[in-house]
């Protein structure tokens, strides 16, 4: 009889333990899985067109998943990740050594997953006849050593060079500072930081003497499925590593010229992860980075997928 009571007691104890375990939530309150649940994540605003489409397709495949993107500048995105306000940030840089060590000291496992390559585009007003530029001249503009168009193009009548960025803390600004100015600040006397990437295009449309710096995914003409044209209301400059720039040495941020290394202003897009439970942030990241559907969205947006398998075809254009 005692043996039976003992078995019943043990059985009830196991049932109670399993019931408590099933209802127990993580300390952070998260219940999301690799393909279900609800999460918020952050992204550099310049990638919002691509991210919106990635979210839409992912949620159609996994209807039990809900992704809520928040678009901000790159600095705030990384800060939110470090403070555990989010577990996924889409940026154009990896973790710094200091950030990585900080997270590891808190027993996290930070990971940077490459997603795509983006060409940083230089755009000018369609009335500007000067459409090629060398990296050297671009550096002179950003450093403030050249502030008038006729110093670069003697026949220009446009006057002062106005430089427009999407945001003073954006990945675009960081790229120019780190990759073009060797860490020195941008010192152009006529620099404008608007709030969003779309506003850079608007600024350039309204200011004939301006030059805008923007992610190339904003310029892809959605009517063109071959990704070889840009929006018709502005002009995309061709950029040359060689100085002075010539037509033959200058390239636009088309996918193939990013792929073969001709275009010089290229940055890598990363998913920064700090997800201790390997939940929905990981599921969404792997969809963008490894699933052919996620990479196809990147390709159609005019960027170069990180796992690109490029097929190059020769096209003969006949004009009448």
């Amino acid at each position: 009889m005692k043996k039976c009571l003992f078995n019943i007691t043990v059985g009830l104890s196991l049932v109670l333990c399993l019931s408590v375990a099933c209802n127990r939530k993580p300390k952070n309150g998260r219940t999301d899985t690799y393909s279900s649940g609800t999460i918020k994540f952050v992204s550099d605003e310049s990638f919002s067109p691509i991210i919106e489409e990635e979210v839409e397709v992912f949620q159609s495949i996994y209807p039990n998943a809900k992704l809520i993107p928040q678009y901000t500048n790159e600095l705030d995105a990384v800060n939110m990740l470090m403070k555990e306000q989010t577990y996924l940030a889409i940026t154009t840089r990896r973790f710094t050594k200091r950030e990585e060590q900080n997270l590891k000291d808190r027993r996290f496992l930070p990971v940077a997953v490459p997603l795509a390559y983006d060409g940083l585009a230089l755009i000018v007003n369609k009335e500007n006849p000067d459409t090629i530029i060398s990296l050297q001249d671009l550096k002179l503009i950003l450093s403030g050593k050249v502030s008038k168009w006729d110093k670069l193009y003697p026949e220009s009548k446009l006057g002062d060079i106005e430089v427009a960025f999407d945001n003073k803390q954006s990945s675009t600004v960081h790229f120019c500072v780190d990759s073009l100015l060797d860490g020195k600040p941008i010192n152009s006397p006529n620099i404008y930081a608007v709030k969003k990437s779309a506003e850079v295009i608007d600024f350039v449309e309204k200011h004939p003497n301006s030059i805008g710096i923007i992610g190339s995914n904003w310029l892809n003409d959605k009517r063109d499925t071959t990704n070889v044209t840009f929006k018709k209301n502005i002009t995309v400059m061709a950029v040359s590593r060689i100085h002075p720039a010539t037509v033959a040495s200058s390239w636009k941020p088309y996918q193939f010229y990013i792929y073969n290394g001709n275009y010089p202003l290229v940055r890598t897009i990363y998913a920064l992860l700090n997800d201790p439970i390997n939940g929905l942030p990981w599921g969404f990241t792997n969809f963008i980075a490894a699933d052919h559907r996620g990479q196809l969205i990147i390709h159609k947006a005019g960027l170069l997928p990180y796992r690109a398998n490029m097929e190059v075809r020769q096209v003969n254009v006949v004009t009448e």
Side-chain angles (χ1 to χ4, degrees), residues 44 47 74 90-94 171-172 267-270:
D44 188 290
F47 305 125
E74 188 170 79
I90 309 297
T91 70
T92 61
R93 69 170 179 86
R94 296 177 176 270
S171 58
T172 304
R267 55 187 181 172
T268 306
I269 303 173
Y270 294 96

Side-chain angles (χ1 to χ4, degrees), residues 96-264:
T96 65
K97 290 183 178 180
R98 185 174 181 179
E99 291 165 347
E100 190 171 10
Q101 189 59 51
N102 179 285
L103 292 170
K104 288 181 178 179
D105 289 344
R106 289 188 274 154
R107 299 187 177 182
F108 288 101
L109 295 174
V111 178
V113 179
L115 305 176
Y117 299 105
D118 178 34
L120 207 62
L122 307 180
I123 60 174
V124 292
N125 189 281
K126 61 182 180 181
E127 296 179 9
N128 190 336
D130 300 307
T131 59
I132 62 173
I133 190 170
S134 69
L135 283 180
Q136 180 176 317
D137 285 343
L138 177 60
K139 293 176 184 179
L140 291 175
I141 293 173
L142 296 176
S143 65
K145 295 178 181 179
V146 169
S147 59
K148 294 184 179 296
W149 282 105
D150 61 6
K151 295 297 182 182
L152 301 179
Y153 310 98
E155 297 181 2
S156 178
K157 308 295 183 183
L158 293 176
D160 293 338
I161 301 174
E162 295 181 342
V163 182
F165 285 96
D166 50 348
N167 186 291
K168 63 181 180 181
Q169 300 289 358
S170 73
S171 58
T172 304
V173 172
H174 292 163
F175 179 91
C176 291
V177 171
D178 295 340
S179 300
L180 297 178
L181 299 180
D182 298 323
K184 297 177 182 178
I186 297 172
N187 198 32
S188 173
N190 299 304
I191 186 169
Y192 298 85
V194 295
K195 294 181 180 180
K196 297 180 179 180
S197 299
E199 294 178 13
V200 176
I201 299 174
D202 293 337
F203 185 94
V204 172
E205 285 182 321
K206 296 173 182 176
H207 297 80
N209 60 326
S210 63
I211 179 171
I213 304 178
I214 193 172
S216 62
N217 69 93
W218 278 91
L219 304 175
N220 186 43
D221 191 329
K222 299 302 181 183
R223 297 166 299 178
D224 178 17
T225 58
T226 63
N227 293 334
V228 294
T229 62
F230 296 103
K231 290 185 179 294
K232 306 301 188 296
N233 47 7
I234 49 90
T235 300
V236 180
M237 301 190 83
V239 185
S240 173
R241 287 189 174 87
I242 301 171
H243 183 80
T246 65
V247 173
S249 69
S250 302
W251 310 90
K252 292 186 178 183
Y254 295 132
Q255 284 172 323
F256 179 66
Y257 298 144
I258 295 173
Y259 175 75
N260 68 9
N262 282 343
Y263 191 71

